[in-house]
């Protein structure tokens, strides 16, 4: 049943009006379909590495290794609490019947050396060896003779450190669900850590194990290549700074132009040995490209913000890339076929036909407004499109934005094509019904002519918009959480490109039809909403974007919390820790 609101002041209208007030004031069931506001419901933390393994065997408390595993605490490690990976360490030692894995009668020196090498190479993946106790492990391995308790302690220490590293490499050091911004990404598919480790130790190919845990996402691999190149260059902060002291325009002459040329050569943006102090066309073209990569207006004018780009040291760039690589570890491994990526701080969408698509579809987007209507980070599959969609108005938007206007004008709802729909609750929801407000398709509908749906707990989606002027703004965080696209017709062509019966003309017709049309996709299209202030584009160009949601600082703080304690203090307590663990093993 649909009740239409008209401007006439009869008893039926008043009844509907009071019913609507009761509906939006009712504290019970909320509307089942909301349009643009992301739900802030918390999600359960995703299990690390390969899901929570089932521990079948009981861990023996009277066994030196079992005693440590039960405690989930290792005082010889700088980060003693290893509860985050304890299940995986326990699973590994089940396969050895809780006997040593590394310090056996026929211990493999190659495996031990490979272990140290793997952890020492952690910086190649923007990780810190100190977080995995590398120096301490060297001391353990070099110890000549060990009693059974010390052997157990050292052996578990090596295993915990390796598992921590593999976990951080594959899943990230920070669980995105623990960082206070919206994240809706499912855990990566299972990997049999215990089985793989046993296999590589047996064949003495431990170094090859790392490749199976390294993220496969192209973005991660591109960032890693750039990181390694910058690490080789070292910190360049000692070179002369580029400080022109005034705004430079194309054609200007200035002594500092020589330093600008040096920076651009080092960045690979220009070639040759021209030492002219004129801001010529070659320099302007290079500066415009840098500005574009940094998300700035590409006009070639060098103000303070642009000048600062050329004074950024390799160390500063490395820090930014390290944050980006941490986020890239959250991305699921790539799949074959098309994919849509929205980089939130870039305010852009890319639609790829394949992972290596050289010419992806690219368009501007509008994302959720900072700070309280942020578009969430998510990975879902697009299942269907709706041409000429209805907008089911979320109760929060209705109360805050629409109801105040309607209260002063009884004809407002009718003028905006808003109607009331009776919604029946299921028996599981307790039965009963309530009225829900929705806006009919048309020029006033904020969803425009098409929406692209990928069911998710945040209830956000991609959609058209009747107002396109906002796409000309440089900063485009303006929505309630959903993502508005500037080229909806092209995106529909991309999504329906291989679906029979759909082409450019039929899509145009559907986008101007008088009725809503639901189109299910024969093949789901993965959609990634991503937050990357440092991003490598499809041309392998490194780009930087403003941190519109302030998430870089949040991630930095989260990473700082898990960094290894001070090495000096830990060294002073080494003997005390050894005494404690000996006592623990002696009295399980």
């Amino acid at each position: 049943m649909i009740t239409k609101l008209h401007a006439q002041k009869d008893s039926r209208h008043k009844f509907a009006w009071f019913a609507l007030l009761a509906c939006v004031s009712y504290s019970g069931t909320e509307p089942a379909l909301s349009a643009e506001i992301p739900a802030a419901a918390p999600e359960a933390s995703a299990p690390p590495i390969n899901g929570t393994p089932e521990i079948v065997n009981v861990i023996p408390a009277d066994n030196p290794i079992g005693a440590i595993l039960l405690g989930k605490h290792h005082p010889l490690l700088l980060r003693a609490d290893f509860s985050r990976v304890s299940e995986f360490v326990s699973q590994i030692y089940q396969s050895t019947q809780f006997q040593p894995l590394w310090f056996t009668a026929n211990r493999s020196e190659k495996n031990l050396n490979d272990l140290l090498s793997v952890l020492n190479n952690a910086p190649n993946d923007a990780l810190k060896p100190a977080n995995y106790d590398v120096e301490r492990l060297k001391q353990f391995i070099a110890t000549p003779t060990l009693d059974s308790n010390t052997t157990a302690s050292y052996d578990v220490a090596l295993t915990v450190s390796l598992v921590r590293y593999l976990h951080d490499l594959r899943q990230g050091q920070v669980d995105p669900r623990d960082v206070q911004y919206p994240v809706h990404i499912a855990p990566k598919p299972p990997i049999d850590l215990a089985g793989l480790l046993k296999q590589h130790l047996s064949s003495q190919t431990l170094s090859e194990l790392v490749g199976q845990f390294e993220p496969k996402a192209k973005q991660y691999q591109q960032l890693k290549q750039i990181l390694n190149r910058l690490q080789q260059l070292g910190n360049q902060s000692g070179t002369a700074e580029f400080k022109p002291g005034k705004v430079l325009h194309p054609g200007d002459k200035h002594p500092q132009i020589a330093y600008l040329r040096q920076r651009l050569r080092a960045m690979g943006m220009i070639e040759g040995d021209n030492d002219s102090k004129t801001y010529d066309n070659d320099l302007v073209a290079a500066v415009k490209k840098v500005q574009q990569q940094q998300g700035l207006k590409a006009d070639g004018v060098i103000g303070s913000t642009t000048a600062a780009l050329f004074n950024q040291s390799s160390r500063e760039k490395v820090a930014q890339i390290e944050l980006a690589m941490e986020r890239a570890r959250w991305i699921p491994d790539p799949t074959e076929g098309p994919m849509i990526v929205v980089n939130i701080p870039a305010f852009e969408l890319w639609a790829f036909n394949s992972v290596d698509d050289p010419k992806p579809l690219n368009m501007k987007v509008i994302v959720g407004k900072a700070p309280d209507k942020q578009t969430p980070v998510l990975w879902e599959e697009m299942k269907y499109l709706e041409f000429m969609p209805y907008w089911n108005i979320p109760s929060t938007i209705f109360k805050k934005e629409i109801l105040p206007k309607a209260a002063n004008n009884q004809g407002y709802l009718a003028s905006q094509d808003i109607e009331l729909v009776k919604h029946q609750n299921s028996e599981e929801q307790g039965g009963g019904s309530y009225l829900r407000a929705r806006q009919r398709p048309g020029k006033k509908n904020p969803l425009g002519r098409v929406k692209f749906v990928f069911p998710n707990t945040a209830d956000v989606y991609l959609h058209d918009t009747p107002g396109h002027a906002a796409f000309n703004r440089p900063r485009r965080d303006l929505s309630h959480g959903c993502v508005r696209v500037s080229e909806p017709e092209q995106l529909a062509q991309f999504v329906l490109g291989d679906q029979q019966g759909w082409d450019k003309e039929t899509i145009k017709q559907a986008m101007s039809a008088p009725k809503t049309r639901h189109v299910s996709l024969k093949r789901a299209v993965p959609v990634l909403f991503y937050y990357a202030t440092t991003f490598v584009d499809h041309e392998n160009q490194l780009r930087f974007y403003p941190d519109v949601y302030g998430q870089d600082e949040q991630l930095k703080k989260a990473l700082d919390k898990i960094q290894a304690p001070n090495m000096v203090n830990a060294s002073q307590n080494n003997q005390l820790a050894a005494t404690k663990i000996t006592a623990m093993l002696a009295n399980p």
Side-chain angles (χ1 to χ4, degrees):
M1 172 182 177
I2 296 179
T3 305
K4 296 183 179 180
L5 299 182
H6 298 282
Q8 59 191 21
K9 300 180 180 180
D10 59 12
S11 59
R12 288 174 299 172
H13 173 82
K14 290 180 180 178
F15 175 81
W17 178 246
F18 286 118
L20 177 59
L21 290 174
C23 164
V24 298
S25 300
Y26 178 57
S27 60
T29 307
E30 291 290 322
L33 294 176
S34 60
E36 278 203 0
I37 192 83
E43 294 185 350
S45 294
I49 300 183
N50 61 335
T52 303
E54 182 181 358
I55 304 300
V56 179
N57 298 335
V58 176
I59 299 175
D62 58 350
N63 175 282
I65 289 177
I68 301 173
L69 298 180
L70 288 171
K72 301 179 183 180
H73 188 273
H74 201 310
L76 291 185
L77 297 177
L78 299 178
R79 290 183 292 163
D81 180 5
F82 64 92
S83 56
R84 192 181 184 195
V85 297
S86 63
E87 297 295 328
F88 309 102
V89 178
S90 297
Q91 188 183 46
I92 289 169
Y93 280 107
Q94 282 181 23
S95 65
T96 69
Q97 300 299 311
F98 300 97
Q99 297 303 307
L101 182 69
W102 308 92
F103 297 105
T104 61
N106 299 313
R107 80 181 208 176
S108 168
E109 296 300 328
K110 184 178 187 304
N111 283 340
L112 291 169
N113 289 331
D114 284 350
L115 170 64
L116 295 177
S117 178
V118 164
L119 299 181
N120 273 319
N121 287 330
N124 292 341
D125 285 278
L127 298 171
K128 297 180 178 4
N131 285 344
Y132 312 106
D133 296 272
V134 176
E135 294 304 317
R136 182 159 291 200
L137 299 187
K138 288 180 182 178
Q139 297 175 17
F140 297 166
I141 292 172
T143 304
T145 55
L146 306 172
D147 58 46
S148 60
N149 284 346
T150 306
T151 297
S153 174
Y154 286 5
D155 204 90
V156 174
L158 267 63
T159 305
V160 168
S161 296
L162 178 61
V163 173
R164 272 178 169 162
Y165 170 71
L166 295 175
H167 171 275
D168 291 352
L169 179 64
R170 178 165 169 78
Q171 298 284 3
Q173 303 167 85
V174 173
D175 187 333
R177 296 152 196 82
D178 295 337
V179 182
Q180 295 184 356
Y181 53 78
V183 176
H184 301 259
I185 297 181
K188 292 178 180 177
I191 287 184
D192 181 11
L193 172 58
L196 286 172
L197 180 59
K198 181 179 180 180
Q199 172 188 329
H200 284 285
L201 288 177
S202 176
S203 61
Q204 298 192 75
T205 56
L206 189 63
S207 58
E208 297 177 11
L209 176 64
V210 176
Q212 299 181 61
F213 287 82
E214 185 177 44
K216 306 300 185 296
K218 184 176 181 180
Q219 181 67 198
Y220 183 89
Q221 295 299 327
Q222 289 174 307
L223 287 166
K224 180 177 178 179
Q225 289 177 3
I226 296 173
L227 173 72
N228 296 162
R229 191 160 62 242
L230 288 172
Q231 288 171 333
Q232 292 173 2
L233 289 174
N235 188 21
Q236 298 175 348
S237 60
T239 58
E241 289 187 302
F242 172 61
K243 290 186 175 181
K246 68 172 187 176
V247 176
L248 295 179
H249 296 84
D252 285 354
K253 293 185 177 181
H254 195 286
Q256 287 277 315
I257 293 296
Y259 297 130
L260 176 62
R261 289 187 186 277
Q262 291 177 11
R263 297 293 192 284
L264 290 170
R265 286 195 193 101
M267 295 167 66
M269 304 299 292
I270 62 171
E271 297 179 351
D273 53 2
N274 184 350
D275 59 357
S276 170
K277 296 184 173 73
T278 300
Y279 186 26
D280 58 29
N281 291 337
D282 290 343
L283 292 183
V284 172
V287 169
K288 284 183 177 180
K289 189 169 185 179
V290 172
Q291 288 173 325
Q292 183 185 35
Q293 292 172 358
Q294 310 298 316
L296 301 176
K297 184 179 180 181
D299 56 6
V301 177
I302 302 177
S304 59
T305 302
T306 299
L309 299 176
F310 301 107
N311 290 321
Q312 190 178 39
S313 69
S314 296
R315 183 179 300 168
E316 291 170 325
K317 291 179 181 178
V318 164
Q320 289 178 286
I321 292 172
E322 287 175 344
L323 287 181
M325 289 180 69
E326 176 66 11
R327 288 192 176 104
R329 284 187 264 268
W330 305 342
I331 302 175
D333 290 335
T335 57
E336 294 296 328
M339 177 180 176
I340 294 171
V341 177
V342 172
N343 188 5
I344 297 167
F347 310 118
E348 290 193 0
L349 175 150
W350 289 268
F352 299 87
N353 284 299
S354 65
V355 173
D356 297 315
D357 187 351
K359 294 182 178 180
L361 174 65
N362 177 231
M363 66 186 69
K364 296 178 180 179
V365 299
I366 292 171
V367 301
K369 187 173 180 60
D372 58 346
K373 298 175 183 177
Q374 297 182 18
T375 295
V377 173
L378 62 77
W379 172 280
E380 297 292 350
E381 289 189 335
M382 186 182 295
K383 302 290 188 180
Y384 64 92
L385 283 70
E386 277 189 5
F387 291 105
M388 301 304 291
Y390 280 86
W391 180 35
N392 297 289
I393 306 173
S395 61
T396 50
I397 294 178
F398 191 91
K399 292 175 184 177
K400 292 180 181 180
E401 301 179 19
I402 297 176
L403 190 57
K405 296 176 182 178
N408 297 322
N409 179 3
Q410 290 190 352
Y412 178 78
L413 297 184
S415 71
Q416 298 301 308
D417 292 330
I418 295 175
E419 59 190 18
L420 295 181
V421 181
K422 184 178 179 180
H423 182 82
Q424 187 71 36
N425 289 327
S426 65
E427 292 184 4
E428 292 78 7
Q429 294 173 317
S433 63
Y434 62 90
L435 292 177
R436 180 180 65 200
R438 73 178 186 180
Q439 190 171 37
R440 291 188 291 273
K443 294 181 179 180
K444 295 178 180 179
N445 189 309
L447 304 188
R449 299 160 295 166
V450 61
K451 72 173 182 178
F452 306 82
V453 183
F454 32 96
N456 59 87
T457 56
D459 203 12
V460 295
Y461 40 82
L462 297 161
H463 66 86
D464 182 24
T465 177
H468 281 249
F471 288 110
N472 295 323
R473 299 186 186 183
R475 175 165 174 165
R476 297 187 293 276
D477 57 319
L478 305 168
S479 80
H480 288 91
C482 282
V483 176
R484 308 172 194 168
V485 298
S486 60
E487 304 291 344
E489 187 175 329
Q490 290 187 35
L491 187 59
Q493 291 174 25
F494 172 84
V495 172
L496 296 171
D498 59 352
Q499 196 148 320
Q500 188 174 4
W502 288 97
D503 56 23
K504 186 175 182 179
E505 188 59 34
T506 53
I507 288 172
K508 276 186 176 181
Q509 293 174 3
M511 291 178 70
S512 58
K515 294 184 179 180
T516 301
R517 184 170 182 180
H518 179 108
V519 182
S520 296
L521 299 181
K522 293 183 178 179
R523 181 172 67 170
V525 178
V527 176
L528 172 65
F529 283 7
Y530 191 49
Y531 192 92
T533 55
T534 303
F535 185 78
V536 184
D537 67 14
H538 63 284
E539 296 179 338
N540 208 36
Q541 295 295 317
L542 184 65
R543 297 175 179 267
F544 297 91
Y545 300 103
D547 185 14
V548 290
Y549 290 168
Q551 292 184 9
D552 278 358
E553 191 59 34
Q554 293 180 29
L555 183 55
K556 286 177 187 175
K557 290 179 180 178
L559 288 168
D560 287 344
K561 288 181 180 179
I562 64 171
Q563 298 304 312
N566 185 277
M567 197 75 172
V568 175
N569 293 337
S571 298
Q572 293 173 347
N573 293 328
N574 187 37
Q575 186 59 46
L576 178 60
T579 303
K580 286 183 178 180
I581 199 166
T582 300
M584 178 183 71
L585 294 170
N587 301 284

